[in-house]
Amino acid sequence: MKKILVLPGDGIGPEIVAEAVKVLERLRADGLEVELEHGLVGGSAYDAKGHPLPEQTLVQARAADAILLGAVGGPQYEALERPLRPEQGLLGLRSGLELFSNLRPAILYPQLADASTLKPEVVSGLDIMIVRELTGGIYFGEPRGVRTLDNGEQEGFNTLVYRESEIERIGRSAFEIAQKRGRRLCSVDKANVLEVTELWRQVMLRIAQDYADVELTHMYVDNAAMQLVRAPKQFDVVVTANMFGDILSDAAAMLTGSIGMLPSASLDADGKGMYEPIHGSAPDIAGQGVANPLATILSVAMMLRYSFGWSEAADRIEAAVGRVLDQGLRTPDIAAEGQASVGTAQMGDAVVAALG
Ligand code: NAD
C-alpha cells in the first residue's frame, strides 16, 4: 500500500487537485493500492497555522511514499516577509526531503499542436524529458555575494560547484528515467569553458558503463538551446545542471504553448517524489471552476510511473487524457478561438469516464 500526501495549496490548487483525486479514487476502486492523506502548504498553511510549511506537513511528507501538490501563492501573501511566503513551503519540502532530481516533461499532444508558437510539424507529438539537478550548482554554491573592491567599485559573485557524488546521483536518476522511456540520454554541459562541467562530462561517461542499454550523447548548452527550438523531437531525455536546466526546461515547456497541460516531478535518491503541475496558483481564475486540471492529473500519472513503477496505470491515465482531447473537450486555456469549452470538474469527470 502506497501512501500519498495530497497538498492542494492555494488559488486554483484545491480545484485542480480535487480532479486528480477523482482519478486516483477511481483507480483505487479498480484495485490500485494507494491511500490518501491531506495536508497544508503555502498561503493556506500560513492562514491556518502561521507558517507556509508547518512542522506537521513535513512529518506527513516524510512518512508518505509520494506527494501530490497543487500550487502555492497569491497576491495576498506578497507583503509577508520572505520566510513566511508561500513558496518557502515548496522550497522547504524540496530541501527537507532532498528532492534533487527535477523532471520536467515537455509533451505536446497532437490534438493541441496549434497551441504552440512553432510550426505544428516541428512540435506535434513532442515528448521530451528534461532532468534538472535541483539542489546544487550555482544557485547554492558558496562563496556568494556582493562586495566592494578597494577602488570602491562593487562586484557580484556566485560559485558554480558540483561534487562528483552530486553529479553521479543526478546522472543515475536520469539514466534510470531514460531506461523507462526511449533509452537515449543527452547530457548538456559547457565542458569547453567550465572545468566543473568537464568533471560533469567525465562522471556521466563513467556511470554510462552501468547503463549499456541507454545511448549517451553530450551537447553544449548553447547548442542545446538552439536545437530545442530548431528540432526538439531529436531529444528523448536531457540531463543538466541546475541553472542550465532552469532555462532549458522553461524553453521546452513553452514549445508546447499550454502551461495547463504540463506535469513535473522532483525525486530523491530512492525515487520518492513530489509531483505538481508546472504552473502556479493562477489567482486570476481561482474560484471560477475554469482551471485546466490536466497537468495535475498527468502529475498523478508521473507519480505512478516514477515513484511506484506502475507503468500500466500511468499509461491508462495518459491514454484517458488523449481520449478526452480526441473527443474535443477543452478548458478555456487550450480551446481554439471560438471553440466551446468545459469547466474544471467537467474535464476531470471526462478523464475518469475515459479511463474505461
Ligand atoms: P501562473 O502559472 O499561476 O499563471 C500564469 C497564467 O497561466 C495565468 O494567466 C493563469 O490564469 C494561467 N494558468 C496557469 N495555470 C492554469 C491552468 N491550470 N488552467 C488554466 N490557466 C492556467 O503564474 P503567475 O501568474 O506568474 O503566478 C501566480 C502565483 O502562483 C504567484 O503567487 C506565484 O508565486 C505562484 N507560482 C507558484 C508556483 C508553484 O506553486 N509551483 C509556480 C509558479 C508560480
Side-chain angles (χ1 to χ4, degrees), residues 302-318:
M302 280 189 87
M303 174 190 294
L304 304 188
R305 186 182 311 281
Y306 292 108
S307 280
F308 304 159
W310 297 342
S311 338
E312 260 175 48
D315 288 346
R316 204 173 149 204
I317 295 175
E318 286 163 359

Side-chain angles (χ1 to χ4, degrees), residues 50-269:
H51 197 279
L53 182 58
E55 183 56 32
Q56 194 199 344
T57 302
L58 201 53
V59 170
Q60 285 176 301
R62 290 210 167 99
D65 296 299
I67 299 158
L68 177 66
L69 185 124
V72 299
Q76 68 271 45
Y77 305 111
E78 274 162 21
L80 289 172
E81 50 179 310
R82 191 168 289 277
L84 294 179
R85 292 210 199 130
E87 53 273 23
Q88 294 303 317
L90 281 191
L91 296 175
L93 281 169
R94 284 181 190 152
S95 60
L97 300 176
E98 281 200 65
L99 305 174
F100 65 88
S101 177
N102 187 214
L103 278 53
R104 291 269 303 256
I107 300 167
L108 184 55
Y109 284 85
Q111 301 91 326
L112 302 178
D114 286 338
S116 176
T117 49
L118 269 67
K119 291 186 195 131
E121 64 267 28
V122 175
V123 288
S124 178
L126 179 76
D127 181 359
I128 62 183
M129 175 75 83
I130 303 214
V131 180
R132 165 190 171 195
E133 200 290 324
L134 199 60
T135 54
I138 198 164
Y139 292 170
F140 296 91
E142 298 282 349
R144 61 191 296 154
V146 177
R147 62 189 162 210
T148 306
L149 301 175
D150 289 345
N151 68 0
E153 191 185 1
Q154 287 203 305
E155 180 182 68
F157 55 99
N158 289 88
T159 304
L160 175 49
V161 57
Y162 272 112
R163 274 175 286 128
E164 231 180 324
S165 54
E166 288 175 298
I167 303 170
E168 178 163 344
R169 69 178 186 175
I170 189 71
R172 289 196 183 280
S173 176
F175 273 106
E176 280 162 27
I177 287 154
Q179 283 179 323
K180 293 184 181 146
R181 295 179 37 107
R183 298 173 187 270
R184 288 185 297 117
L185 177 63
C186 178
S187 169
V188 168
D189 61 36
K190 190 73 183 170
N192 50 342
V193 177
L194 300 172
E195 286 82 353
V196 50
T197 68
E198 218 177 296
L199 176 68
W200 177 282
R201 193 176 280 216
Q202 284 167 17
V203 173
M204 290 294 162
L205 280 167
R206 173 165 59 77
I207 62 175
Q209 293 166 5
D210 296 339
Y211 305 91
D213 54 337
V214 176
E215 180 203 352
L216 174 68
T217 55
H218 307 272
M219 198 179 275
Y220 295 138
V221 63
D222 42 347
N223 186 24
M226 199 165 78
Q227 296 300 332
L228 261 183
V229 182
R230 192 186 71 85
K233 285 193 263 186
Q234 70 184 282
F235 296 107
D236 176 22
V237 181
V238 170
V239 62
T240 193
N242 202 341
M243 183 166 67
F244 296 161
D246 189 5
I247 299 164
L248 292 180
S249 63
D250 265 20
M254 282 305 110
L255 293 174
T256 73
S258 28
I259 194 174
M261 295 293 301
L262 294 176
S264 77
S266 307
L267 306 180
D268 76 1

Side-chain angles (χ1 to χ4, degrees), residues 290-309:
V290 295
N292 186 346
L294 295 179
T296 318
I297 290 172
L298 291 167
S299 298
V300 170
M302 280 189 87
M303 174 190 294
L304 304 188
R305 186 182 311 281
Y306 292 108
S307 280
F308 304 159

Side-chain angles (χ1 to χ4, degrees), residues 1 23-36:
M1 182 67 75
V23 170
L24 273 168
E25 291 293 358
R26 168 58 205 278
L27 293 176
R28 205 154 78 109
D30 289 350
L32 196 78
E33 299 201 328
V34 293
E35 57 184 16
L36 309 186

